Amino acid sequence: MVKVITLMGALVFAASVAVAAEPLLENYIRTYDYAARLEMKVSSQKLLDMLEDGKAVLVDIRFKEEQDAWGPSFALKIPLNELPERLGELPADKIIVTACPHKDRAIIAMTYLRSKGIAARYLTDGLLGLLANLRGDDAKYFLEMYKQNK
């Protein structure tokens, strides 16, 4: 009997949390159009410009082991499964750009952040695309500009 009551309490709590977040996500979906489709995306070239200008923060949402193995040193590292508990680490005055090697998890993270009212986009060409754009002189130039504007 205690287990049933505890389970029912957990279900009621989960339902109330879902209802609280629902209006933002529901409104986003109802107003979704071609402009919203473009606005939710950012290419690595555009991201580099936004980072240089101090307008965005890159959030690497891969698993910790993936982050430890390789990744951009200038990214905020918050694994997707830790994102709900670490929302307070995201700056409110910048666009949050979520990234993973391709884009599947980044889209999930972007959608979650938008459901919380956070300005978020996902990296369309993923961290692998970003890596291709940060080579040689381009990497040197970016890091120098990024450090100056940080």
Side-chain angles (χ1 to χ4, degrees), residues 12-34:
V12 168
F13 174 75
S16 67
V17 170
V19 168
E22 185 177 317
L24 284 173
L25 184 57
E26 186 172 306
N27 186 51
Y28 176 66
I29 291 170
R30 286 181 185 203
T31 60
Y32 188 82
D33 58 12
Y34 287 100

Side-chain angles (χ1 to χ4, degrees), residues 59-140:
V59 179
D60 181 347
I61 53 89
R62 297 173 300 143
F63 292 113
K64 184 178 180 336
E65 297 78 13
E66 292 173 289
Q67 293 169 348
D68 290 346
W70 68 275
S73 61
F74 51 88
L76 181 58
K77 293 170 175 38
I78 303 177
L80 179 60
N81 60 356
E82 295 178 16
L83 194 54
E85 290 79 29
R86 296 179 60 186
L87 288 176
E89 296 177 36
L90 302 175
D93 62 336
K94 297 190 187 298
I95 296 169
I96 307 303
V97 178
T98 59
C100 63
H102 299 285
K103 62 186 172 191
D104 53 346
R105 290 176 279 176
I107 292 171
I108 294 168
M110 180 270 309
T111 304
Y112 173 74
L113 292 173
R114 284 180 174 246
S115 79
K116 298 298 182 187
I118 297 171
R121 298 180 183 184
Y122 73 90
L123 188 59
T124 57
D125 47 350
L127 291 172
L128 296 175
L130 180 62
L131 178 68
N133 285 296
L134 285 175
R135 296 170 25 164
D137 291 337
D138 291 334
K140 182 179 184 229

Side-chain angles (χ1 to χ4, degrees), residues 48 52 73-74 130-149:
L48 293 172
E52 286 178 21
S73 61
F74 51 88
L130 180 62
L131 178 68
N133 285 296
L134 285 175
R135 296 170 25 164
D137 291 337
D138 291 334
K140 182 179 184 229
Y141 170 80
F142 169 75
L143 286 177
E144 287 172 356
M145 294 302 293
Y146 178 76
K147 289 175 184 174
Q148 286 178 6
N149 296 321

